Amino acid sequence: MSDAASVKKVVLAYSGGLDTSVILKWLQTTYQCEVVTFTADLGQGEELEPARKKAELLGIKPDNIFIEDLREEFVRDFVFPMFRANAVYEGQYLLGTSIARPLIAKRQIDILRATGADAVCHGATGKGNDQVRFELAYYALEPEVKVIAPWREWDLTSRTRLIEFAEAHQIPISKDKRGEAPFSVDANLLHSSSEGKVLEDPSLAAPEDVHMRTISPEEAPDQPTLMSIDFEKGDAVAIDGEALSPASILTRLNELGKANGIGRLDLVENRFVGMKSRGVYETPGGTILLAAHRAIESITLDRGAAHLKDELMPRYAELIYNGFWFSPEREMLQAAIDLSQKEVSGRVRLKLYKGNVIVTGRESPNSLYNQELVTFEDGAVAYDHRDAAGFIKLNALRLRTLAARKNRAEN
Amino acid sequence: MSDAASVKKVVLAYSGGLDTSVILKWLQTTYQCEVVTFTADLGQGEELEPARKKAELLGIKPDNIFIEDLREEFVRDFVFPMFRANAVYEGQYLLGTSIARPLIAKRQIDILRATGADAVCHGATGKGNDQVRFELAYYALEPEVKVIAPWREWDLTSRTRLIEFAEAHQIPISKDKRGEAPFSVDANLLHSSSEGKVLEDPSLAAPEDVHMRTISPEEAPDQPTLMSIDFEKGDAVAIDGEALSPASILTRLNELGKANGIGRLDLVENRFVGMKSRGVYETPGGTILLAAHRAIESITLDRGAAHLKDELMPRYAELIYNGFWFSPEREMLQAAIDLSQKEVSGRVRLKLYKGNVIVTGRESPNSLYNQELVTFEDGAVAYDHRDAAGFIKLNALRLRTLAARKNRAEN
Amino acid sequence: MSDAASVKKVVLAYSGGLDTSVILKWLQTTYQCEVVTFTADLGQGEELEPARKKAELLGIKPDNIFIEDLREEFVRDFVFPMFRANAVYEGQYLLGTSIARPLIAKRQIDILRATGADAVCHGATGKGNDQVRFELAYYALEPEVKVIAPWREWDLTSRTRLIEFAEAHQIPISKDKRGEAPFSVDANLLHSSSEGKVLEDPSLAAPEDVHMRTISPEEAPDQPTLMSIDFEKGDAVAIDGEALSPASILTRLNELGKANGIGRLDLVENRFVGMKSRGVYETPGGTILLAAHRAIESITLDRGAAHLKDELMPRYAELIYNGFWFSPEREMLQAAIDLSQKEVSGRVRLKLYKGNVIVTGRESPNSLYNQELVTFEDGAVAYDHRDAAGFIKLNALRLRTLAARKNRAEN
Amino acid sequence: MSDAASVKKVVLAYSGGLDTSVILKWLQTTYQCEVVTFTADLGQGEELEPARKKAELLGIKPDNIFIEDLREEFVRDFVFPMFRANAVYEGQYLLGTSIARPLIAKRQIDILRATGADAVCHGATGKGNDQVRFELAYYALEPEVKVIAPWREWDLTSRTRLIEFAEAHQIPISKDKRGEAPFSVDANLLHSSSEGKVLEDPSLAAPEDVHMRTISPEEAPDQPTLMSIDFEKGDAVAIDGEALSPASILTRLNELGKANGIGRLDLVENRFVGMKSRGVYETPGGTILLAAHRAIESITLDRGAAHLKDELMPRYAELIYNGFWFSPEREMLQAAIDLSQKEVSGRVRLKLYKGNVIVTGRESPNSLYNQELVTFEDGAVAYDHRDAAGFIKLNALRLRTLAARKNRAEN
């Protein structure tokens, strides 16, 4: 990995921004190697064509510039499978950053193979989780790949030196990038995150202007928005009855969530690399989707399946957070989860109001809810009150045996 | 259990309402036994003295009337230990009804021993979870106790017959109890629940008037409420800096939650007795408490402890929901959870606004959050970027071995 | 269920023995219904034709007599999937009885449908687990089926009364069935179990003569038996290089185990119905198979998959023990387990000697074992000792933070 | 850590053997620092006084030589707590090496504090688990300690160079240490392990002469040994009725196991550092202890507690294997496990025979086994056969609802 001389061609995850442009140039100068840029639209809300121009400006051959719209693949093959699990990390975080990394890494490896490259490079820092997520995915897909992580290798360890390097290499610097950013940002179709600098003191509230995806509950309209989501086999397929593609669904949910001040989260989390960090996340569409998915499961999923899912979920979420998407154990859990979703179809009605996602109805042709069974009257259905007596007696048997031992010991 | 003749004295969980008054009289006439009434204040919001008068009216000797204020014990020994676990059932339900049953059962058994009674009786129906919770607790505490569950035994299976029985036995019936209640209610200091009748169709929104503990987010004030909760060893001990008893804390949190439209939940859940049911819960104070507890844990709890807690939680919550409070496995889990809370002390600041509980700050003398470790600059602290490379390489080793096998197989 | 009049035709799990013959006659006399007998060969080691004759003798029409050899289906679709999970209940029991019940129940329901019957009947007692296993399977496959469990319904509660009933109805009684059996037995191709009577005191050793499947280690030959098992995708497919069908493999392993005194187990277990019971199990082939399966997994299964399997296993085993084979949660776990077995192929060599199963070698084209990685010398392989330092440092980071807090508190 | 100049005094885990003697000298020459040697008797079966002499010979001041008999502490505070959990790693390994490391590390840190040292040093290699176990324990106890791991730092990477270094520094070399050892060994009172070199091919049987703690089953006597173990609160306290200290118990069990060919294990395991390795373990006493502990638990532990323990065990074992003894999550699990052991007292009788540990009886004043409950006859006890019907019906309810949905879909 440290053997610079041996790299011939490297596939760089390239955003077109200042940092990855510096990396691009640093790779050329340090490794004397050919650079392939890969720029993906995962719904981060930036145009991609400027990245192409900038790459060309920095000397990348057109054949070595890869720009792809991955939004559908991202939602269909990564976000939706994860939401089938109701995955939340540490009880709260919807894993918006974590779930995007494996897809980027996978495409880098695809391009490495297509272009005959021998190395990959990412712009994640040396203290975060993303370096782990990128690199575990790289290695899981291509075990002998060379991985270059500039932030762990170079000496551009301050903003000043980075800017100097950029200036020395004629890298264009937009004005707002000259100074230190007040916080760092990651964004994709599922969420945006902010962390660092002004957010580093967890005893202080996050400033309003770190939010980019949502208006605040206070600013949201006084009138609620009523809507519905249709599910098929655990995945959202329509909004307000209109069938939409996966990415279109999430886009639409993001708009609805944003407008109603939904999906903000300010938390301190435990990184895989060992320290605690504080982040502000905005997941407007995902927050609605999670509530709706739990609601449709509530009438279509059996208790045994539901409880097993709840017990497996923390492990599943931890695997994704830690970067083990491409691991046998994540795939095993996914197989179990996916099997449970066969009948998770139907419609959920929701009320969105100033940060609240309120379930107002759920219905399904596959519903396991049986009104006759719950009604207080003894009905025609096969529920005999006396069964409950036996059920309790046998469940109590071991507890009674324990109590008898205790009484024995005390007498 | 069915041997009516053998019951001499029975301790009845008596609310003073129509149903348990009918039970009282039915016990006297059916079992020809002495009845001891036990009426507890768990914060359900009803006065207890009317229950005393009504019991006397129905012929209970003063010595056989037990009325107790259990609010402090309830919160201190049941609610707070449960909140240390961040317990939620099926991802959502804060277990407000479940957690009250073991305490009532425990006091019934205490009174049974004090009065020399040989049986206990509750008013829970034959289709719900509460019968299980009461009876598992009875048996776990007194293995040879006789348990009488009138709703599973008698023939008063319609409202009409119940009213007839009441009239035949001179039981006072308040006007609003003559007809069928539009839904049934349970309440204590932690929550109130509504279920049945008008709520039985899960495709329909709950009517506004089933709510009794909270105003709706829409009705809540346009100005947020700012507040703080102090924790010691995992339990809330003060609000806005004012030290309060456990019950006083929950009472105050309920007021704050109610005023801000916080803590409503409308869900379909899976009962232990096997069917799905739909309930509307209001847990204003508990909802605030859970958010605050997670926040104080986020800076004081180690990752290993936090993740273990998250993995154990679904099981723990299921045990409480199913009525196994007095079981060795719940106590084992509690021991693990309680150990984790030794350092969970500090202050959490919150903003309450129209249904939202927003964490605006957390601080603790025991904080594990280390600003130096997260800052993007390499600092004086013992974090070397190169360590991350090794960390990733060894975590990747098995994945690389797997990938090599896959490549081998494909070539 | 108690409405005797309503049963028209019942499918009885019929062994041909005294007890189920009494049940057959009792069904005819009590329910006045047509009886269909189902007798299966699951490898219990009894001939089936006598059952046919006896059924005819008791008045069953030839069309209503079903006799099937289910040995291959039993091993292929029940035993082998379970062994993929390395399932053991309470750390020891290989679930030999538990795994046979779902198959018998499934075939009874198949026959119910084929014959237009409306009820099923089994001969399991009212205190054991088997009644639960049969009936949960019945209901999971045919929700409205009527279930008749004579041992919970009739009044033939002593051996004497049973014999009297048999004599009164001209049921042939072999001499050895006249008295009380010294213990009760269940057997199939996977195991035999003995329990009750002479085994009821767990402080006393089991008499030698309860064993029917194995000779004792003491009696086993002084020379070890060397052998090998080949696996494909987690299932045994050959012994000593000879490809065999599933049932043939288990049969052969049973012979080898029996001859070498392998597979005896004497334990006290916790029944699902709430009490402890003591059983003596003999699982000669299964004991060998489990050791061999773990051995082939040890070189072909990744750590992440292996550890997840180990964590899920107790739950999986409990589900099978409790009778939840046909449940969504068992199927979910099976999906996860089966996915892990794709590469579990190869050969395991074993030495069998007086009760011991000793692994002497394992090899696989899919092996993940990499001699170069473990060798003490630093080699060409991609393992840098310095990586270990980083790995440890980051794993230690949270522990160091905890220790620093502790030191702070103490100073 | 790499700042050699800064180390003033280092506490070395010193065995007195060639390798740690080379380390000792290497520390002196490389770090120019004072060396404190710590030599512990954990039951590895070697005399300690030669280590003192050798340390003196190598220039260590008498005050800097620490020699301690830790056998009682080892068994009482580490081995026994672990056996309360029935801990086995990957289904088989009794964690004999893993459990010794935290104690050695703890004593090194104690001595570091007592002597004012600032660094610790161990002799574990850079590819194994032991380096992780030592260092995680160091850091968990003393977060700012400097850790020296010579095998990751120095250039003595071949046997030849090591010997050369020893000769150059007048370190005595016993003849049998001149050549390459055919395998490497670790030993303590719980077990001995062998790995490497002749054992590196997992397809080949382990040579007989790697075993040092046990005779083979074949060589073991033809007569079984009958014995008993008494337990109190989960720990062994007496053998054959004779009360013994923890270390004496394990010593005696080792003798009995050795003589009867008990406790050999040949397996391929997954190391925390990422590769598979093959080891031969001998745990004669531990193997007996595990079987006996499970047996006494089988009559004294409630099902709920027992199953929770079984589910937690793999995680607990993994934590110990990976070196997280001093972690909050291990301590949480221990708290749960220890609570379960309060009533785990009584006597287990065993037959030891040629590799077999056969339970022949278990009895306890705290037994939960109730002969009346299991007996086939309906007795005086509170078990009503009809309860089983209700128990099954309610357990089946959700499965019937599922089946009804399936039937609905198919029609």
Side-chain angles (χ1 to χ4, degrees), chain C residues 307-328:
Chain C
H307 288 202
L308 179 58
K309 281 189 70 202
D310 281 349
E311 291 195 48
L312 298 179
M313 186 277 282
R315 168 70 66 93
Y316 176 90
E318 185 184 64
L319 286 170
I320 293 176
Y321 185 86
N322 288 356
F324 290 92
W325 180 267
F326 295 113
S327 72

Side-chain angles (χ1 to χ4, degrees), chain A residues 200 276 307 318 329 398, chain B residues 301 307 318 329 369 398:
Chain A
E200 281 184 5
K276 289 180 179 293
H307 289 202
E318 186 185 62
E329 61 271 30
R398 64 181 180 93
Chain B
L301 204 62
H307 289 201
E318 185 185 63
E329 61 272 31
Y369 181 88
R398 65 181 180 93

Side-chain angles (χ1 to χ4, degrees), chain A residues 90 126 143 200 203 218 266 271 276 301 307 318 329 349 351 354 356 362 369 383 398 400, chain B residues 90 126 143 200 203 218 266 276 301 303 307 318 329 349 351 354 356 362 369 383 398 400:
Chain A
E90 300 190 340
E200 281 184 5
S203 73
E218 287 92 332
D266 175 340
R271 288 192 186 156
K276 289 180 179 293
L301 204 62
H307 289 202
E318 186 185 62
E329 61 271 30
R349 276 186 294 279
K351 179 165 77 170
K354 285 184 179 286
N356 297 276
R362 29 345 220 169
Y369 181 90
Y383 187 99
R398 64 181 180 93
R400 295 173 76 184
Chain B
E90 300 190 341
E200 281 184 6
S203 74
E218 287 92 331
D266 175 340
K276 289 181 180 292
L301 204 62
R303 183 185 71 202
H307 289 201
E318 185 185 63
E329 61 272 31
R349 275 187 294 278
K351 180 164 77 171
K354 284 184 180 285
N356 297 275
R362 29 345 219 170
Y369 181 88
Y383 187 98
R398 65 181 180 93
R400 295 173 77 184

Side-chain angles (χ1 to χ4, degrees), chain A residues 88-93 265-270 276 313-314, chain B residues 83-88 231 234 287-301 306-307 309-311 313-314 341 344 348 350 359 362:
Chain A
V88 284
Y89 180 69
E90 300 190 340
Q92 303 192 78
Y93 170 40
L265 179 64
D266 175 340
L267 90 170
V268 176
E269 77 199 49
N270 293 291
K276 289 180 179 293
M313 186 277 282
Chain B
F83 271 77
R84 285 176 216 143
N86 302 320
V88 284
F231 287 88
T287 302
I288 301 171
L289 188 58
L290 176 63
H293 185 256
R294 277 220 173 258
I296 193 65
E297 282 194 336
S298 77
I299 58 167
T300 57
L301 204 62
H307 289 201
K309 282 190 69 204
D310 280 349
E311 290 196 48
M313 186 276 282
Q341 301 292 296
V344 179
V348 175
L350 300 157
V359 175
R362 29 345 219 170

